[in-house]
Every structure is written in structure tokens, then in C-alpha cells.
Amino acid sequence: AAVWAAEGPQATLRYDEETGTVSGAKPWCSGAGLVDVALVSARCGEGSRLVCLRTDAPGILLQPQSWHATGMGGIPSGNVQFDRVHAEAVGPKGAYLARPGFWHGGAGIAACWYGAAVALASPLQRSPRVEGDPQAAALLGQVDMALQSSAALLRELAAWIDAMPAQPHQSDVIRVRSVVERSCVQVLDAVGRALGPAPMCLDPEHARRWADLT
């Protein structure tokens, strides 16, 4: 199963309550062509609604060929077109975005960014260049400060969510995402300047992770 809830200019999907069908387009559908069932957000009146549908239902056109993210090449996330596809409403209107778990999940994405940044920093942490090159050592220091600050905020927020799961912690999640995003940018820049292009050219796993995180 997958959750397709991305919004934006390309998202025109609407749910017709009278017919119980969805029509329109939905971008960023991760796992398109790989999953059997999807939970999809669709506009309904003045708000939105989550619906459940089968991905092999009549009226669905998968367009995974529109997905060109190098780092995530194994996870097709292209557009999906819907033409009067039968769907079952899940919960009341607006429930998906209003639930506290929506924001908790946003923090989880930041934790994924952080994990990728830690892995990308590993070659610099292991590099013998650090001992003999003051600039590389200084860049490693910047990386360490950025990652440790992000880790501390992530642990703190995780404790708050565990202690108060009914609260969305929206402002705290936004803060964590902003700090982790800035840390990731610092890591990408510092590792690249300290080690040069060799890891991106010679280590395929590092190169894929680099493209993914970027």
C-alpha cells in the first residue's frame, strides 16, 4: 500500500461524493506501478478528503516515466491520472491533514534527511586528510557541529511526541525540519569541498545517496 497525498499546481484530483469516484491528476505518487492499494488525498468541496482505491482499477493511468530523480531511481514516483475511478472515503473531511500524526510524520522525514547526511559525512570522518590538512579538519568540525545540533533537536522532539502524542507539535516540527535541512546543506557543501569529486565519481553508493539527499 502507498499514501499519495502530495499537493501542488499539478494536483487536480477531486472526489465526487455523489458517484464515489475520483478524477484528475496526482503528482509524486511513490511506488506507482508497485503497489496494489493507495490512500489518496483529493479535493472535496472546499476541503480535502482521504480515499482508498485499488491501483489496478479501471480509469487509472500510471506515468512513472515522468520521474527522473537519480538518487531514487528504484522508487518510481511519477504522475497518476484518474478518470472516474471508484474510491472509498476514509474518515471525515480534512481528517488526514488535521490529525497530529501528519506533523509527526514531517519530523520523521527530517530524521531520514539526517540519516543520509550522517552517511555522507562518514568518508570525511574516516579520511586521513583531516590530520594533515587544517582546512579539511575545519570542515569536519563544521559538519560535526551541524549534525550534533540536529541530532539533539530530533531526540528532544521525539521525546515530546512520545510524551504528548495527541499534540501536533507543529512549530517544533517546522523548527527541526529547518535546522536539519540547513545541516544537510552544510554537510553536502563541506564534504564536497574537503574531499573533492572522488567519492561522487568512484563510490556509487555515495553518489546515489548524494543525489537522493540533494
Side-chain angles (χ1 to χ4, degrees), residues 9 11-12 27 31 39 83-84 87 95 106 116 138 148 150 154 160-161 177 189:
T12 61
L39 290 169
D83 182 14
R84 291 168 292 182
Q148 292 303 323
S150 293
L154 284 165
W160 289 345
I161 291 174
R177 285 172 63 94
D189 176 66

Side-chain angles (χ1 to χ4, degrees), residues 36-108:
D36 299 319
V37 177
L39 290 169
V40 187
S41 63
R43 297 171 190 172
C44 183
E46 296 300 319
S48 67
R49 173 155 245 170
L50 194 68
V51 299
C52 181
L53 51 82
R54 290 198 58 84
T55 59
D56 59 356
I60 290 182
L61 176 62
L62 305 179
Q63 297 177 309
Q65 69 274 11
S66 61
W67 181 245
H68 302 292
T70 304
M72 299 178 66
I75 307 174
S77 297
N79 296 336
V80 177
Q81 298 285 335
F82 298 84
D83 182 14
R84 291 168 292 182
V85 176
H86 176 73
E88 181 179 351
V90 178
K93 292 181 180 179
Y96 177 73
L97 297 179
R99 63 192 177 86
F102 176 79
W103 285 101
H104 300 171

Side-chain angles (χ1 to χ4, degrees), residues 139-183:
L139 290 168
L140 176 58
Q142 293 177 19
V143 166
D144 183 68
M145 287 188 292
L147 290 178
Q148 292 303 323
S149 299
S150 293
L153 279 178
L154 284 165
R155 287 193 295 267
E156 181 181 69
L157 179 55
W160 289 345
I161 291 174
D162 286 344
M164 298 174 285
Q167 298 297 318
H169 304 283
Q170 179 177 347
S171 60
D172 301 308
V173 171
I174 292 173
R175 180 187 307 114
V176 166
R177 285 172 63 94
S178 299
V179 170
V180 173
E181 186 271 342
R182 179 173 295 182
S183 295

